[in-house]
Amino acid sequence: MGWRLLALVYDALPVLALWLLVSALFTAGFTVLGHHDARETIRPFSLLSWLLWIACWLATAAYALVSWRRGGQTLGMRPWRLQVVDAGGGPASWRGLWLRFLVGHLSLLAGGLGFWWAWLDRDRLAWHDRASGTRLLRRPKP
């Protein structure tokens, strides 16, 4: 459980950078398109602000899914030698990775309950591990 949390905290940095980039693009587009006062910004809870959140979520999905598919690791998983694999130990499928991402987010929205579940599970699997048929392995030091 500790390794998962460390990887999540570490991965918050590149995800934050992606969110800043997406937000800058949205703001630049909003400014270039005009149709508003020059000092106005994207209003909270407007259609554009919801589209911005969706774009940030999709950028996060792209970061995680491509990283997991290419080598089984995000940047935050590398220092602790964590790797996402399928139940047989091979590379996980796109479907399994999407399920892992979606259920992982639901688990976080439930106060992290799906992550804490790993302490009670006989195989030490979180909700997203069970639902997607993937596993998080800790590789030995080279």
Side-chain angles (χ1 to χ4, degrees):
M1 186 64 192
W3 300 115
R4 289 176 191 253
L5 290 175
L6 286 171
L8 275 174
V9 169
Y10 195 109
D11 275 327
L13 297 174
V15 167
L16 178 62
L18 282 173
W19 285 10
L20 290 172
L21 177 63
V22 170
S23 298
L25 293 174
F26 263 72
T27 303
F30 182 75
T31 303
V32 168
L33 289 177
H35 308 299
H36 56 81
D37 183 7
R39 295 181 206 170
E40 189 177 336
T41 186
I42 298 171
R43 292 184 182 178
F45 304 107
S46 66
L47 177 62
L48 194 56
S49 72
W50 286 106
L51 290 174
L52 174 57
W53 277 110
I54 291 169
C56 287
W57 186 80
L58 289 173
T60 304
Y63 164 73
L65 295 172
V66 170
S67 296
W68 290 336
R69 184 68 180 163
R70 291 188 73 205
Q73 298 175 307
T74 60
L75 289 174
M77 296 166 77
R78 289 181 185 172
W80 293 281
R81 301 178 318 275
L82 301 175
Q83 187 176 21
V84 174
V85 296
D86 68 5
S93 68
W94 283 107
R95 181 182 179 281
L97 294 175
W98 265 110
L99 269 171
R100 180 181 183 81
F101 185 77
L102 293 172
V103 175
H105 273 78
L106 291 174
S107 158
L108 283 173
L109 289 173
L113 193 58
F115 286 88
W116 303 117
W117 180 259
W119 278 340
L120 303 174
D121 189 89
R122 70 177 183 278
D123 297 322
R124 299 288 184 218
L125 299 177
W127 288 352
H128 50 277
D129 296 325
R130 286 258 178 233
S132 64
T134 61
R135 306 289 181 263
L136 192 63
L137 297 180
R138 185 148 193 255
R139 298 289 180 193
K141 286 185 180 182

